[in-house]
Structures are given as structure tokens and as C-alpha cells.
Amino acid sequence: MEALTYFTNKLHLHDTSFLFPSQHLYIRSFANVMDEVKLNHKTLIIEKIVINEVPTLLPEQQGKQKEYIQDKNEKFIFRPYLQIFKGNKAIYNYLADETPKEYKHNDKNITFEVGVEVTDDTLIRCRHFENNEDRVSVFRIMFHPSLAFDEIYRFNRKDVDFSPNIETTPGFEVDVYLRQTKNENTDTLSLEKARLDTIKVAEQFRKNRQADKKSGDKQA
């Protein structure tokens, strides 16, 4: 709750409902830093990403002309692809090397083999390939590798930013499989800077909190 208060004050927000699910997740992770949880100092590689179900795209999102993509059983065919961004720079695009595979609602898992190194704020975006002209954004997730402590970073439905007119079951999950890079010197400066920046913000928050407490004690 203190981490949420810190960020809403910084952003001058009075209504936290404007925050995206991914921002709430980030704040919860930041709260761990404030509680002096040690950060992950290792450079990580995203080995693969697994989506555990095929989402439903409602008619408004199934093409500009509302021409539904259907197979002979009149069921929606999902052609997902992933993009990964570091800041505003794309560091991975599934379409660069692969043609989107087709999935139906009875398919249980969608797996992307990635193999991309990440050292900073990372955004993963999933889109649906309708045709060469039309693409539909489905969802996005965000995380920082210094706040990833397990081999699998699991995003539950409540942690995912969905586009409008996207439906999933409550059990929707995205698993990001991570491993440490063997080359510990890779982009060490970038990782260390991100780690120190996070610690600096957390320490400043603690100082502000202590100052506010002292001020309150004097007024009392």
C-alpha cells in the first residue's frame, strides 16, 4: 500500500483505477524492494513464453470489415505473434523469422521459443495476425529482470493488460521461462544502473516516510 501511495503521489493520481494491471504488478514488485528484498543481479535470457489458452476475440476486433476468420466448423482461428521491447526499441519480433501458427479454442498451450537477453524494463506484446494488412493487439505484460527471482515468471489474468473486446477465462496465464546467461559480463553496466536506480528510489521513499513520521510526531 505504501508503494502504491508513493507512485500515485508522484504521478499526481487520486484514482488508482486508471492504472493498468501491469502497473499494479510493478508496484507490488517495488513494494518488495522497499521491504529490502534483494534484487536479482544476473542478466537473464527469455528462453520461451507459454500462453495457456486461446483468448476470444469479439466481433469488433475480428477485422475492420467485421469479416470473421472462420474454419469449416465456424470457429475462430487465432494466429498469435509476439514482440518484445526494451524501452521503445523492439528486440524481438516473431514475424521476422516465422509465419504465425494457427490455434483453435480447444488448443491448450501456445509456445514461443524466444532466446532473447533482457537487462532492463521489458514489455512483451501479443498480437493476432489477421492478414498482411490487419493486426489486432491482444495483450501485453511488463517486468524488470532484477525483480525476477524464479525460472518461471508467471503472469496471472489480473497482471495482464488486455485490449478491448478480448475475453479469457479466469484461469488465463502467461509463463515466461528465464535462465541466467553464462556470460556474466554481458551488459553489466546497464543492469547495475537499473538496480541502483531502483534502490535509490526505494531509499528516497524510506527517507520521505521517516521525515513524514517525524513531522507528524511533532504536530501531535
Side-chain angles (χ1 to χ4, degrees):
M1 188 63 189
E2 291 176 344
L4 178 60
T5 301
Y6 175 85
F7 277 99
T8 53
N9 287 341
K10 285 292 184 181
L11 297 175
H12 304 291
L13 294 176
H14 301 288
D15 186 355
T16 59
S17 63
F18 288 104
L19 296 176
F20 290 108
S22 59
Q23 292 173 318
H24 280 283
L25 175 63
Y26 217 96
I27 290 170
R28 292 197 299 272
S29 299
F30 180 76
N32 291 333
V33 176
M34 294 196 323
D35 290 336
E36 300 183 359
V37 172
K38 291 185 178 180
L39 300 178
N40 178 18
H41 297 182
K42 305 294 183 180
T43 300
L44 300 178
I45 292 176
I46 298 177
E47 286 195 311
K48 64 180 178 180
I49 297 172
V50 179
I51 305 169
N52 78 330
E53 72 174 64
V54 174
T56 298
L57 280 71
L58 300 181
E60 290 81 357
Q61 291 290 74
Q62 292 183 14
K64 294 179 180 178
Q65 305 301 322
K66 295 187 178 180
E67 296 174 353
Y68 303 164
I69 301 174
Q70 299 173 324
D71 62 8
K72 60 184 179 181
N73 296 320
E74 296 186 348
K75 293 181 179 179
F76 174 69
I77 296 177
F78 186 43
R79 300 185 183 93
Y81 67 96
L82 295 183
Q83 298 169 306
I84 301 178
F85 297 86
K86 176 183 178 181
N88 294 323
K89 180 181 178 182
I91 59 175
Y92 172 84
N93 189 338
Y94 181 84
L95 289 182
D97 301 309
E98 304 285 346
T99 300
K101 298 178 182 179
E102 296 185 347
Y103 298 89
K104 301 177 183 179
H105 279 290
N106 57 351
D107 292 320
K108 295 182 178 180
N109 290 314
I110 303 171
T111 301
F112 294 90
E113 302 292 339
V114 180
V116 171
E117 184 178 288
V118 290
T119 59
D120 209 334
D121 286 318
T122 302
L123 183 148
I124 302 171
R125 181 169 67 180
C126 177
R127 307 193 80 194
H128 164 65
F129 183 93
E130 186 166 336
N131 53 52
N132 287 329
E133 295 182 358
D134 295 339
R135 319 286 172 84
V136 179
S137 292
V138 180
F139 69 81
R140 70 178 183 181
I141 53 179
M142 294 186 287
F143 75 102
H144 195 292
S146 66
L147 299 171
F149 305 102
D150 300 314
E151 293 182 354
I152 300 177
Y153 200 130
R154 172 163 293 175
F155 294 82
N156 297 313
R157 189 180 187 278
K158 63 181 177 63
D159 304 322
V160 180
D161 299 336
F162 290 101
S163 295
N165 302 312
I166 301 296
E167 287 189 349
T168 67
T169 69
F172 180 89
E173 295 173 341
V174 180
D175 286 340
V176 179
Y177 286 74
L178 304 166
R179 68 175 172 85
Q180 297 178 6
T181 180
K182 293 181 179 180
N183 182 8
E184 296 300 335
N185 293 323
T186 303
D187 208 3
T188 301
L189 292 177
S190 176
L191 182 62
E192 181 65 11
K193 181 180 183 300
R195 184 182 71 83
L196 293 175
D197 286 347
T198 305
I199 293 174
K200 182 179 179 180
V201 172
E203 288 180 345
Q204 184 60 50
F205 175 81
R206 292 193 195 100
K207 291 179 181 178
N208 292 344
R209 182 173 56 182
Q210 292 173 356
D212 291 342
K213 184 178 179 181
K214 291 180 179 179
S215 177
D217 291 342
K218 289 181 179 179
Q219 292 177 4

